[in-house]
């Protein structure tokens, strides 16, 4: 059974930084990407960032976070990180670590954690 444990999140001012982490208990062969999607109240889910389980150079970022967010894996490949810099009010959402096949839509036929809240406020 796949379990995803995520940490991080919190409240920061605009322009601040946060770092999320996520560890998966196992990686089903049928799920090749791990990363985060987010959802804010009244908005649709959107894939934020993802990395391929076997090739750390295969990454995806939604356009709105390119240049500000960085997804990375540790060498042992059991924990991934999302470094979020220059946070904007529009980044505020519940962030879910997820394991799936479509990096843009990890929630489709995927596994995901309960989520961690990111709040941006001055």
């Amino acid at each position: 059974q796949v379990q995803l444990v995520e940490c991080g999140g919190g409240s920061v001012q605009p322009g601040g930084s946060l770092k999320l982490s996520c560890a998966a208990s196992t990686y089903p062969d049928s799920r090749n990407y791990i990363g985060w999607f987010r959802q804010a109240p009244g908005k649709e889910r959107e894939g934020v960032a993802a990395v391929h389980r076997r090739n750390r150079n295969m990454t995806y970022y939604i356009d709105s976070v390119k240049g500000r967010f960085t997804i990375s894996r540790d060498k042992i490949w059991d924990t991934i990180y999302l470094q979020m810099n220059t946070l904007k009010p529009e980044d505020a959402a519940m962030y879910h670590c997820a394991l799936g096949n479509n990096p843009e839509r990890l929630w489709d036929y995927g596994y995901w954690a309960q989520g961690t809240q990111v709040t941006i406020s001055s």
Side-chain angles (χ1 to χ4, degrees), residues 82-101:
L82 184 67
Q83 177 66 47
M84 304 185 293
N85 297 329
T86 319
L87 283 160
K88 303 177 180 180
E90 52 264 40
D91 294 318
M94 184 72 77
Y95 283 69
H96 300 266
C97 177
L99 188 62
N101 254 339

Side-chain angles (χ1 to χ4, degrees), residues 47-114:
V48 178
V51 60
H52 195 279
R53 57 182 293 201
R54 293 188 175 90
N55 185 343
R56 67 183 68 204
N57 293 318
M58 292 177 63
T59 57
Y60 161 79
Y61 295 96
I62 192 171
D63 285 347
S64 61
V65 308
K66 287 180 180 177
R68 301 188 296 121
F69 291 12
T70 303
I71 191 167
S72 61
R73 291 166 31 188
D74 69 7
K75 290 184 179 179
I76 303 176
W77 185 215
D78 63 356
T79 303
I80 62 167
Y81 303 94
L82 184 67
Q83 177 66 47
M84 304 185 293
N85 297 329
T86 319
L87 283 160
K88 303 177 180 180
E90 52 264 40
D91 294 318
M94 184 72 77
Y95 283 69
H96 300 266
C97 177
L99 188 62
N101 254 339
N102 184 342
E104 297 183 44
R105 296 176 61 88
L106 289 173
W107 59 89
D108 277 349
Y109 305 104
Y111 303 89
W112 63 85
Q114 284 193 326

Side-chain angles (χ1 to χ4, degrees), residues 5-68:
V5 178
E6 59 185 337
C7 296
S11 180
V12 295
Q13 293 183 339
S17 298
L18 286 172
K19 188 172 185 177
L20 308 181
S21 65
C22 177
S25 60
T26 185
Y27 290 88
D29 288 340
S30 58
R31 304 294 188 273
N32 291 318
Y33 281 93
I34 185 168
W36 280 268
F37 67 87
R38 66 188 179 188
Q39 187 164 23
K43 295 186 178 181
E44 293 187 353
R45 287 174 181 168
E46 57 182 7
V48 178
V51 60
H52 195 279
R53 57 182 293 201
R54 293 188 175 90
N55 185 343
R56 67 183 68 204
N57 293 318
M58 292 177 63
T59 57
Y60 161 79
Y61 295 96
I62 192 171
D63 285 347
S64 61
V65 308
K66 287 180 180 177
R68 301 188 296 121

